[in-house]
Amino acid sequence: MSKPAEIVCFGEMLIDFVPDSAGVSLAESTGFLKAPGGAPANVACAITKLDGTSAFIGKVGDDEFGRMLVDILKSNGVNSEGVLFDTHARTALAFVTLKRNGEREFMFYRNPSADMLLKESELNLGLIKQAKIFHYGSISLITEPVRSAHMVAMKAAKDAGVLLSYDPNVRLPLWPSPEAAREGIRSIWNEADFIKVSDDEVNFLTQKDADKDETVMSLWHDRLKLLIVTDGEKGCRYFTKSFKGKVSGFPVKTVDTTGAGDAFVGSLLVSIAKDPSIFQDEEKLKKALKFANACGAISTTQKGAIPALPSTADAQGLMAGSKAY
């Protein structure tokens, strides 16, 4: 048994296949690199890379890829006691093209994949109840039985006084329609203590201009302690009950944006787990966000999500202006 994890991440872990040459479509690509992925799992690994403690709860196929993914969690120091192997379904696959600007296009193979089949009865609730933070996305809300398992896990966390952290990670190809995605993502919105969204996601959820504060504030709810909007290389904006502001990003040579948001979230969750007073202290929050921006930036300088996650020293190096990373 490993020590209790301060941050428990729930949801999907899958294999991303990334073209070995940038700027080509999936059809044009002649070869693919296999990279571990799935936002909640990326966040779990980002946390341990920054000396935090994390666990991952989810399901993979009882196949070569599933076993490889669990080995990757373990080699990254993530507690994998909450991971199950499904003998009837395969580990999910995603083909991710990087367009010339480093932005992504997705094609998913899930019919159904193992992560969609996690049942409420299979949840490791003990891991969740002893955490400080329970982190999840929205992909686990798309189908049953994992949706019900997700709801039960959130309730168990909330009842145990665990902070709820939500990064919706909109992936439209997985939802029946954009309307279903908006509705599904918003269905658990008001439960979260902390939400991170990208500017594109603000635009998608509100159908208004994401640059405007009033658009972002239309996503605010009373239980929320912190709402963060990431603006890509420009940095991020933060909103709390008593203050709001911006923290600028770090210019780097971007190769692949996959996992940048996960590196950012993992970093911020480590800061919150260490010192929850960050929600009330603007200076502390800005410092944590600057560090999170550095982590997000570094993760775009390499292909794949988990392999590109930075260490504390990497992020400090970038912040100090060195090119050591």
Side-chain angles (χ1 to χ4, degrees):
M1 292 281 286
S2 359
K3 61 178 176 177
E6 291 198 311
I7 304 157
V8 173
C9 302
F10 173 90
E12 69 283 355
M13 187 172 195
L14 52 120
I15 308 273
D16 286 332
F17 285 93
V18 187
D20 54 10
S21 45
V24 295
S25 70
L26 289 174
E28 292 162 345
S29 179
T30 52
F32 292 88
L33 299 168
K34 180 176 89 218
N42 295 343
V43 171
C45 292
I47 288 161
T48 56
K49 263 300 214 6
L50 297 166
D51 310 313
T53 57
S54 68
F56 177 72
I57 292 180
K59 210 175 203 188
V60 291
D62 189 7
D63 51 36
E64 286 281 315
F65 286 154
R67 285 187 284 276
M68 177 195 117
L69 290 174
V70 173
D71 286 345
I72 284 165
L73 288 175
K74 288 177 176 165
S75 66
N76 277 279
V78 176
N79 177 324
S80 61
E81 288 165 33
V83 183
L84 293 118
F85 291 95
D86 195 295
T87 48
H88 305 293
R90 298 257 189 225
T91 302
L93 307 179
F95 286 81
V96 185
T97 0
L98 299 172
K99 293 185 281 198
R100 293 197 201 289
N101 60 0
E103 283 305 316
R104 300 158 298 164
E105 276 175 336
F106 293 90
M107 191 157 87
F108 293 93
Y109 285 74
R110 290 154 49 95
N111 189 31
S113 54
D115 59 287
M116 300 157 74
L117 302 177
L118 179 70
K119 298 197 286 282
E120 184 186 316
S121 59
E122 297 172 317
L123 285 170
N124 186 328
L125 293 175
L127 272 179
I128 295 171
K129 289 172 182 170
Q130 59 193 11
K132 287 185 177 177
I133 299 170
F134 181 59
H135 175 74
Y136 46 87
S138 69
I139 289 170
S140 41
L141 299 171
I142 300 173
T143 48
E144 291 293 357
V146 69
R147 180 183 163 84
S148 290
H150 184 141
M151 305 308 270
V152 168
M154 272 173 51
K155 185 173 183 334
K158 197 173 172 182
D159 290 349
V162 179
L163 282 172
L164 298 185
S165 161
Y166 187 22
D167 176 358
N169 250 307
V170 178
R171 297 282 177 268
L172 281 183
L174 294 177
W175 291 87
S177 67
E179 291 68 37
R182 262 188 290 270
E183 196 178 316
I185 287 163
R186 292 298 286 267
S187 69
I188 60 166
W189 196 263
N190 292 354
E191 300 298 318
D193 296 290
F194 162 60
I195 295 176
K196 173 255 161 194
V197 271
S198 69
D199 48 356
D200 291 347
E201 289 166 340
V202 171
N203 181 267
F204 169 72
L205 289 168
T206 62
Q207 297 176 286
K208 297 193 174 91
D209 182 357
D211 290 336
K212 293 189 167 150
D213 279 2
E214 59 264 33
T215 302
V216 177
M217 285 311 288
S218 70
L219 294 171
W220 183 265
H221 68 81
D222 280 348
R223 284 199 59 246
L224 207 48
K225 294 178 167 66
L226 175 63
L227 174 63
I228 297 284
V229 180
T230 51
D231 293 309
E233 66 280 359
K234 295 195 301 242
C236 64
R237 287 172 279 161
Y238 58 88
F239 301 82
T240 72
K241 286 188 172 71
S242 33
F243 50 79
K244 60 178 189 181
K246 281 182 185 165
V247 179
S248 25
F250 292 89
V252 291
K253 188 172 177 355
T254 295
V255 175
D256 173 8
T257 57
T258 309
D262 304 327
F264 176 94
V265 168
S267 167
L268 192 52
L269 293 181
V270 169
S271 298
I272 292 168
K274 267 195 202 127
D275 184 1
S277 75
I278 197 168
F279 293 128
Q280 291 88 38
D281 186 323
E282 190 166 11
E283 281 319 300
K284 277 184 192 168
L285 179 62
K286 282 166 83 166
K287 201 173 156 191
L289 290 172
K290 185 179 177 189
F291 188 79
N293 282 344
C295 290
I298 292 167
S299 73
T300 69
T301 61
Q302 236 178 288
K303 275 191 186 167
I306 292 172
L309 292 167
S311 67
T312 304
D314 293 333
Q316 285 166 342
L318 177 59
M319 287 163 70
S322 80
K323 290 284 175 254
Y325 70 92

